[in-house]
Amino acid sequence: MRLKSALFVSASLAFMLPGAARADEGMWTFDAFPAARMKAAYGWAPDQAWLDKTRAAAVRLTGGCSASFVSATGLILTNHHCVATCVEENSTADNNILVKGFTARSTAEEKKCAGQQAEVVTSIRDVTQTVKAAIGSATGADAVRARNAATAKLESEGCTDKATTRCQVVSLYGGGQYKLYTYRKYSDVRLAWAPEAQAAQFGGDPDNFNFPRYSMDASFLRAYENGKPVATPAFLKWNPRAPQDGEATFVVGNPGSTSRLFTGEQLAFQRELALPIIVTMTSEFRGRLINAMAQSAERKREGAETLSGIENSLKVYIGRMKALNDPAFTGKLAAAEASLKQASAGKPAIGNPWGDIAKTVEANRAIYVERLFALPQGDLFNYALALVRVAEERAKPNGERLPGFTDSALPLLEKNLTDERPVTPWLDQLQMEWSLSKAREYLGADHQQTKLLLGRESPEALAARLVTGTKLADPTVRKALLDGGAAAIAASTDPMIVYARSVDPNARALQKRYDAEVDAPLTAARARLADARFAAYGDSNYPDATFTLRISYGKVQGWTERGTPVPTRTVLGGTFDRATGAEPFDLPPAFAANQARIDKNVTYDFVTTNDIIGGNSGSPVIDKAGTVIGAAFDGNINSLGGNYGYDGTLNRTVVVSTAAVQEALEKIYPAPNLVAELRGRRR
């Protein structure tokens, strides 16, 4: 259900050469949209006014999803799975709105989403020369410090109004370019409408990354400021119509990350070291979580969304391993890399970035396990670590701080620390003891880092002592420590704060080693690799995804799977045909109750050829007229190779249609106020 950066591909994937985008391939930055290329393929391309209007309506959610404004009063369309945590946190045992669904009858009933922030790009500025000049001839840790200082200065100077704006310098092409993104931010985001979880998650894991689909994976949020809905004159017109086969579509959102520009050495590191550990760990945590949830109905409710996310991630990680262990697929990757090497031969300015990257990979292998297990997991520990670090970092000049603690980043960090949100103690304890046990397993009981993490306690006893003893679940306690600064942190006897103080220095030392031995030389080598791609492929080169705003173009089109044509769409009535009465194909209660009223011929979900990846969840799917006709929520099984390459014959984006959402708003989960608002009339 959750659109992630999955990497599974079949041996038949027609991998595109890195940087040589063809067909509908590409997650393009808005300042480099390939209008001429699209016009040659489609006979039409958007002009600058179309792009500017669309960009102004696109929203990035800090929870890791995409969205869009769809009214003049701050209404935001996104996926249900992007707001499920908010819905769960606003649920109780007596009123489980995750299960029942939620409809605010007026703005007064809309519920706050803790930790959420909506951001809209207002400008993109190239700052490559400024950052590269600051780095100069520096190497190792000095190069990282110079880069971080330059980006911190650019961000601070670019956003003097920290209350309403956020600036972020983004590295593209692995360090080949740097862009300063400026955002208008809205720090008060509230839930307006969400269907039953079973409607959004119908089909569960068996249907995940598959099609046909019958999923109402859509929800509405609203942005507020000063306690009132914000005015958002730049919004996408709501268009509840069925898509037309072959029509051009655009997906506008914030794809999280891709690895299409990785070298063979980097891929080998993932295949041989990183992925086997991650798959094993994730599998074990899933088992522990299922066992813990079986102990009570309340635990089953409290752990439901965590389990859903873990199962999705496990499917992704297993897919990555399959891809990187497929000789046919890796052979195509190797051939693409060889082609670029040949095109770059005899160019002294480029040198041998592949050899330099290989050296950084070896350095990373030496410290990977220690870095992976430097710190335990869990919300309460994360609060403690953030408080310890912010107290130390705020005392430093802005340019000398750790990334994530600069002036531009602190407002969001402080919001996350002080927002009121429930903490589930048993789940937090489970995460912490699991991560500590895996650290002992992979490092060994006699390793100095294991001794630092555990002392003379077991993972279970340590986690229980810290979670039951800390007061950090209380936002007023966290705010007092935040406001009290270094003195308050140093004086604190809260066991989780004491523990975070004890393990942080080692984690910082490992990060410094990584900066010097891996990050700095890797960035320098990848910048030269970017030069090689630009020389070979020119402006057909697009950067890997970085959770920044991108636009892809494609069309409504099915595909052929094992010789059988797959249709472009499903209809609402198919839900009733597919239902079996048993999880995860049990019929959503509101569907059953309103079966006679539902127009079963309304288009439910559909597929397009748009190039997307994890982070695009909730992205608006837009037609040529600039109206929204759906929200992207998944990809088909073939698209799981999207991290490494795009195959236009097989890769598909899966979309919930606005027509289905409109039917739900009118007949299944009635929300007359939202129906009126989407039509441009407020009740």
Side-chain angles (χ1 to χ4, degrees):
M1 286 298 184
R2 300 160 189 265
L3 184 57
K4 297 289 185 180
S5 301
L7 308 180
F8 174 71
V9 287
S10 67
S12 63
L13 177 65
F15 181 76
M16 301 300 180
L17 296 181
R22 292 176 279 179
D24 296 341
E25 179 189 358
M27 301 172 214
W28 303 91
T29 57
F30 264 75
D31 56 347
F33 181 75
R37 196 183 74 143
M38 182 183 177
K39 188 171 184 179
Y42 283 80
W44 179 89
D47 59 17
Q48 193 59 48
W50 190 101
L51 292 169
D52 290 344
K53 180 181 178 181
T54 301
R55 184 188 71 177
V59 175
R60 181 171 76 169
L61 299 175
T62 54
C65 283
S66 300
S68 58
F69 283 121
V70 289
S71 85
T73 48
L75 190 66
I76 298 171
L77 170 68
T78 189
N79 289 155
H80 180 277
H81 75 254
C82 293
V83 306
T85 297
C86 172
V87 181
E88 183 180 50
E89 290 176 349
N90 279 287
S91 294
T92 65
D94 297 329
N95 184 28
N96 191 343
I97 61 173
L98 185 64
V99 171
K100 297 192 305 183
F102 173 75
T103 300
R105 291 169 295 183
S106 67
T107 55
E109 294 185 356
E110 294 175 350
K111 297 180 179 293
K112 286 194 175 185
C113 291
Q116 188 57 268
Q117 183 166 284
E119 301 174 340
V120 178
V121 172
T122 56
S123 69
I124 306 171
R125 179 161 64 92
D126 192 322
V127 293
T128 304
Q129 296 308 313
T130 301
V131 177
K132 287 189 172 182
I135 297 172
S137 60
T139 59
D142 290 340
V144 173
R145 280 193 292 270
R147 181 192 67 200
N148 291 348
T151 58
K153 182 179 180 182
L154 285 165
E155 290 171 349
S156 182
E157 293 176 348
C159 288
T160 55
D161 176 11
K162 301 297 189 297
T164 62
T165 60
R166 179 187 181 190
C167 284
Q168 183 180 20
V169 173
V170 178
S171 172
L172 302 174
Y173 304 100
Q177 286 184 358
Y178 294 89
K179 300 288 182 72
L180 175 64
Y181 282 71
T182 304
Y183 295 90
R184 175 66 164 91
K185 68 179 184 181
Y186 304 95
S187 299
D188 184 353
V189 178
R190 306 184 191 183
L191 179 68
W193 179 83
E196 299 158 293
Q198 182 51 24
Q201 299 170 4
F202 184 79
D205 190 60
D207 271 2
N208 196 15
F209 298 121
N210 283 299
F211 196 81
R213 292 291 287 277
Y214 304 88
S215 171
M216 189 66 69
D217 200 350
S219 288
F220 290 101
L221 301 170
R222 193 184 303 278
Y224 280 72
E225 207 160 48
N226 301 318
K228 297 179 180 179
V230 298
T232 47
F235 65 91
L236 299 176
K237 182 180 178 181
W238 181 257
N239 194 350
R241 68 168 177 86
Q244 302 299 311
D245 287 2
E247 73 168 298
T249 53
F250 301 84
V251 171
V252 176
N254 300 272
S257 67
T258 51
S259 305
R260 297 182 182 181
L261 305 184
F262 270 24
T263 67
E265 293 289 340
Q266 290 173 298
L267 298 177
F269 173 86
Q270 294 294 316
R271 180 180 65 248
E272 298 165 2
L273 181 58
L275 286 171
I277 295 176
I278 293 171
V279 167
T280 301
M281 288 182 61
T282 307
S283 298
E284 180 176 318
F285 184 69
R286 176 179 179 270
R288 290 191 184 204
L289 180 58
I290 290 173
N291 183 63
M293 289 170 62
Q295 296 178 26
S296 71
E298 183 66 0
R299 285 195 171 193
K300 183 178 181 180
R301 178 187 71 81
E302 293 172 332
E305 280 306 304
T306 300
L307 177 61
S308 178
I310 287 294
E311 289 185 329
N312 184 86
S313 296
L314 183 58
K315 199 168 189 177
V316 169
Y317 297 141
I318 291 172
R320 292 181 179 184
M321 291 186 66
K322 287 182 179 179
L324 294 182
N325 283 288
D326 179 351
F329 174 64
T330 54
K332 290 171 183 175
L333 293 174
E337 186 171 59
S339 178
L340 182 58
K341 285 181 178 180
Q342 184 177 5
S344 306
K347 297 179 179 178
I350 293 173
N352 182 21
W354 294 274
D356 293 337
I357 289 173
K359 293 176 184 177
T360 69
V361 170
E362 285 304 306
N364 198 14
R365 285 177 183 268
I367 61 174
Y368 175 75
V369 174
E370 288 181 55
R371 289 188 67 238
L372 183 64
F373 296 107
L375 300 165
Q377 296 186 28
D379 289 343
L380 292 168
F381 175 78
N382 290 338
Y383 281 142
L385 182 68
L387 288 164
V388 167
R389 287 188 169 181
V390 75
E392 181 173 344
E393 296 302 314
R394 275 194 308 200
K396 300 176 182 178
N398 186 45
E400 297 178 14
R401 298 177 193 169
L402 288 175
F405 294 87
T406 59
D407 286 343
S408 64
L410 276 178
L412 181 58
L413 176 62
E414 292 171 353
K415 169 182 169 57
N416 284 325
L417 282 170
T418 57
D419 273 3
E420 184 174 358
R421 65 191 312 171
V423 173
T424 307
W426 70 265
L427 183 55
D428 217 67
Q429 185 174 324
L430 183 72
Q431 289 178 305
M432 192 173 197
E433 66 185 32
W434 159 73
S435 58
L436 288 168
S437 72
K438 303 312 289 183
R440 184 176 62 184
E441 176 183 334
Y442 280 92
L443 293 168
D446 295 324
H447 196 286
Q448 284 301 115
Q449 187 166 301
T450 305
K451 294 178 180 179
L452 174 65
L453 290 169
L454 293 175
R456 300 182 64 83
E457 296 179 88
S458 68
E460 295 74 19
L462 177 60
R465 178 174 65 83
L466 295 178
V467 171
T468 58
T470 186
K471 304 297 184 185
L472 294 182
D474 186 344
T476 61
V477 172
R478 300 196 299 268
K479 188 174 189 311
L481 287 167
L482 179 67
D483 293 343
I489 294 296
S492 176
T493 59
D494 186 289
M496 197 68 82
I497 293 288
V498 172
Y499 183 73
R501 290 199 310 251
S502 71
V503 298
D504 187 36
N506 177 64
R508 286 175 176 267
L510 286 169
Q511 184 62 44
K512 286 183 179 180
R513 183 179 171 189
Y514 177 84
D515 289 346
E517 299 176 14
V518 181
D519 187 10
L522 178 62
T523 300
R526 292 191 72 189
R528 286 185 286 115
L529 199 56
D531 292 339
R533 289 194 177 93
F534 279 119
Y537 307 122
D539 61 5
S540 66
N541 188 32
Y542 62 90
D544 265 325
T546 53
F547 197 49
T548 49
L549 189 62
R550 305 292 178 91
I551 179 171
S552 73
Y553 66 85
K555 57 181 172 290
V556 178
Q557 180 177 290
W559 76 101
T560 299
E561 189 75 35
R562 300 185 185 93
T564 302
V566 179
T568 58
R569 73 199 70 201
T570 59
V571 295
L572 280 170
T575 311
F576 301 95
D577 298 331
R578 198 172 183 83
T580 66
E583 291 185 359
F585 296 99
D586 48 328
L587 199 63
F591 273 64
N594 294 286
Q595 182 172 356
R597 302 179 64 227
I598 297 171
D599 182 349
K600 296 181 176 60
N601 293 317
V602 168
T603 296
Y604 200 169
D605 299 329
F606 64 96
V607 293
T608 74
T609 63
N610 292 88
D611 188 4
I612 63 169
I613 201 71
N616 272 123
S617 286
S619 295
V621 178
I622 306 168
D623 62 11
K624 288 172 61 175
T627 67
V628 59
I629 61 171
F633 71 92
D634 207 353
N636 66 351
I637 196 69
N638 304 296
S639 73
L640 294 184
N643 241 50
Y644 296 152
Y646 171 85
D647 180 3
T649 63
L650 295 173
N651 289 19
R652 293 296 179 269
T653 292
V654 183
V655 186
V656 58
S657 77
T658 49
V661 177
Q662 183 80 19
E663 187 76 0
L665 292 172
E666 292 180 356
K667 301 176 184 176
I668 308 175
Y669 311 98
N673 57 319
L674 293 183
V675 170
E677 183 174 357
L678 291 167
R679 288 174 176 164
R681 302 191 298 271
R682 292 302 300 274
R683 286 168 59 98

